Amino acid sequence: MNHHPLTFDELQTLLASLLQPAALTELALVLACLGLAWLVVWRLRGRQPQPPSVLFGRQLFDGVLFPLLALALAWGARRALPLLGVPVAVFKVVIPVLISLAVIRLTVRVLSAALPSSGWVKLIERTVSWLAWGGSILWITGLLPVLMAELDDIKWKIGASQVSLRALIEGSLSAVLVMVLALWVSSVIEARLLRNVTTDLSLRKIGVNLTRSLLIFVGLLLALTAAGIDLTALGVLGGAIGVGIGLGLQKLAANYVSGFVILAERSLRIGDMVMVDGFEGRISDIKTRYTVIRALNGRESVVPNEMLITQRVENSSLADPRVSVVTTVQVAYGTDVETLMPRMVEEIMKVPRVLHDPAPGVLLREFAADGLTLQIGFWIEDPHNGQLGVRSQVNLAILRLFDALGIEIPFPQRVVHQARNSADSAPVTPP
């Protein structure tokens, strides 16, 4: 028994059937289907609360799985009612309502998961809700075939093909449905692939980007075919548009290609400390068009991927994350630096972030005007935490050592010569 739009006579019969006692039996079956669907979804999710998902939603019944399962149970019950001798009335209204509810839940949940921070989700939710509920009302009342027939009579030519307004509406709805499914599949794949962050994160992100682009491209082709548009007729026009877009978007295309090259060859990875065009920071994300670099002071720089390919980039974490840090100090002339330098190394090695291998070193750098300049070098393996803090800790350790040993840090010393003129230098005759 196929479910088709009702005619006017069938609508009158349906309204009369809803007032019959048999409608209570159908209503009980509908409640049983809803309760069984809720119970199955609750058992599948488990008793422990979980983060909102497309299938289960926040409260079980606001996900996609509940209306789909309820729709399947209601469809099975509707087909079984004629075998039991019970006329079908309530299910002719319930099934379109469940279909609309499933479409709304699918669209809203997928867009919320794929675009969590977008302000368009609420607008799309209201639009899809109005379209879905309106379509259900037109289906139940039997007005949908009349409306579709009128839309089918409105036609115009696109090249050699003749397209109707009905075909365009159906194609648009198909495109929306395919786009929603593509976003859902790509978000599921991304969640599965990026669940455990490993060294192959770049390869996983490029796989997610390629999968999403491929699904959306195939979905658009299917939507155009569903709309009745001959794809071969768009070949010449698409070629001309492609050439114009290619010439106008060379930089954009170069950035996209550079992004895939960076992700594929892994010359730059998420978490690396880099310096690009005088901006130093840690790579927080690599997109297909740009790379986000976060400095240690919290600022973020969006760098086009083409710049990372064509310009010089300093990567402190590519081969070895260890970084050398240098600081200087002066001691007064006459200090026994040969005995002092090993003591300084011992104190520096007590600083938590300073590596023991390679070991710190202290060198006599120069004989300065005010004292002996000592250069202190040490290594760290976490440059993403900054160098200023560890340099301060090393300086404090040296200062404590100098205070304990009585080592003097010299002040600038200057000798001032006072010139006297001839009048001041003449002998004074006593009176």
Side-chain angles (χ1 to χ4, degrees):
M1 181 181 298
N2 296 326
H3 190 77
H4 58 83
L6 301 177
T7 62
F8 182 75
D9 295 336
E10 290 176 339
L11 181 60
Q12 289 182 329
T13 305
L14 174 61
L15 294 176
S17 300
L18 292 176
L19 301 177
Q20 299 298 322
L24 297 177
T25 303
E26 292 186 83
L27 184 60
L29 285 176
V30 170
L31 295 177
C33 292
L34 295 177
L36 182 59
W38 185 88
L39 181 62
V40 171
V41 174
W42 178 71
R43 294 291 296 177
L44 289 176
R45 193 188 70 166
R47 298 183 179 181
Q48 298 296 329
Q50 297 180 0
S53 63
V54 176
L55 291 178
F56 298 103
R58 292 185 176 88
Q59 300 174 349
L60 294 181
F61 56 84
D62 59 347
V64 178
L65 187 58
F66 173 73
L68 289 179
L69 188 57
L71 177 61
L73 294 174
W75 186 267
R78 182 185 183 279
R79 294 184 63 88
L81 284 179
L83 302 177
L84 301 176
V86 180
V88 179
V90 177
F91 279 96
K92 291 183 179 180
V93 179
V94 170
I95 289 180
V97 171
L98 290 177
I99 293 175
S100 301
L101 183 60
V103 171
I104 294 172
R105 293 303 182 198
L106 177 63
T107 305
V108 172
R109 284 299 167 202
V110 170
L111 292 179
S112 298
L115 307 171
S117 59
S118 177
W120 292 91
V121 175
K122 291 295 183 181
L123 177 61
I124 296 175
E125 178 181 358
R126 289 193 292 266
T127 303
V128 172
S129 300
W130 280 103
L131 291 176
W133 295 126
S136 300
I137 294 173
L138 293 175
W139 180 279
I140 295 173
T141 57
L143 297 177
L144 185 61
V146 179
L147 179 61
M148 298 304 291
E150 293 295 332
L151 295 177
D152 200 18
D153 294 335
I154 304 175
K155 300 180 180 180
W156 60 86
K157 279 191 174 183
I158 299 180
S161 302
Q162 193 172 22
V163 182
S164 64
L165 182 58
R166 174 180 178 177
L168 287 179
I169 294 176
E170 291 177 348
S172 301
L173 295 177
S174 301
V176 172
L177 179 60
V178 171
M179 293 285 287
V180 169
L181 293 176
L183 290 174
W184 185 14
V185 174
S186 62
S187 62
V188 171
I189 293 175
E190 184 174 3
R192 297 293 182 184
L193 291 178
L194 300 181
R195 176 174 297 176
N196 298 321
V197 180
T198 63
T199 56
D200 295 332
L201 180 60
S202 298
L203 295 179
R204 293 181 176 183
K205 287 187 69 67
I206 191 174
V208 170
N209 293 334
L210 287 176
T211 302
R212 178 173 295 181
S213 302
L214 180 61
L215 289 174
I216 293 177
F217 177 73
V218 174
L220 290 177
L221 292 181
L222 294 177
L224 291 176
T225 305
I229 299 177
D230 188 7
L231 298 181
T232 58
L234 302 177
V236 178
L237 179 61
I241 295 176
V243 172
I245 293 176
L247 294 176
L249 302 178
Q250 291 183 4
K251 289 293 184 180
L252 184 62
N255 287 323
Y256 273 99
V257 173
S258 301
F260 284 110
V261 170
I262 292 172
L263 291 172
E265 68 181 9
R266 295 197 298 174
S267 58
L268 297 174
R269 299 162 300 183
I270 296 177
D272 287 356
M273 286 293 298
V274 297
M275 177 179 288
V276 182
D277 195 22
F279 188 88
E280 184 177 9
R282 178 176 177 269
I283 296 179
S284 59
D285 198 2
I286 301 177
K287 301 291 187 180
T288 52
R289 188 185 64 84
Y290 61 88
T291 296
V292 180
I293 301 177
R294 182 179 179 85
L296 299 178
N297 58 5
R299 294 184 304 158
E300 288 187 343
S301 175
V302 178
V303 182
N305 288 328
E306 184 186 12
M307 181 180 295
L308 301 177
I309 294 293
T310 58
Q311 294 189 8
R312 177 175 174 265
V313 178
E314 297 182 15
N315 192 339
S316 304
S317 310
L318 181 59
D320 191 348
R322 294 179 297 182
V323 175
S324 175
V325 183
V326 176
T327 184
T328 59
V329 66
Q330 279 192 349
V331 295
Y333 281 102
T335 304
D336 188 1
V337 293
E338 294 184 354
T339 304
L340 177 62
M341 288 192 293
R343 296 290 303 275
M344 293 175 62
V345 172
E346 294 177 2
E347 293 298 322
I348 295 171
M349 293 180 67
K350 296 179 182 179
V351 177
R353 292 178 57 191
V354 174
L355 297 179
H356 293 189
D357 185 17
V362 180
L363 302 174
L364 178 58
R365 178 176 176 178
E366 62 178 352
F367 301 97
D370 304 318
L372 302 174
T373 302
L374 302 179
Q375 179 172 306
I376 305 159
F378 56 93
W379 293 80
I380 59 174
E381 61 180 356
D382 53 349
H384 55 274
N385 291 327
Q387 302 179 11
L388 185 60
V390 66
R391 183 182 285 112
S392 175
Q393 294 177 3
V394 169
N395 289 336
L396 288 174
I398 295 172
L399 182 60
R400 287 192 296 266
L401 176 64
F402 285 4
D403 291 340
L405 298 179
I407 303 297
E408 178 186 357
I409 298 178
F411 293 98
Q413 299 179 9
R414 298 292 182 267
V415 177
V416 179
H417 298 275
Q418 182 179 5
R420 298 189 301 173
N421 53 29
S422 58
D424 296 335
S425 60
V428 179
T429 304

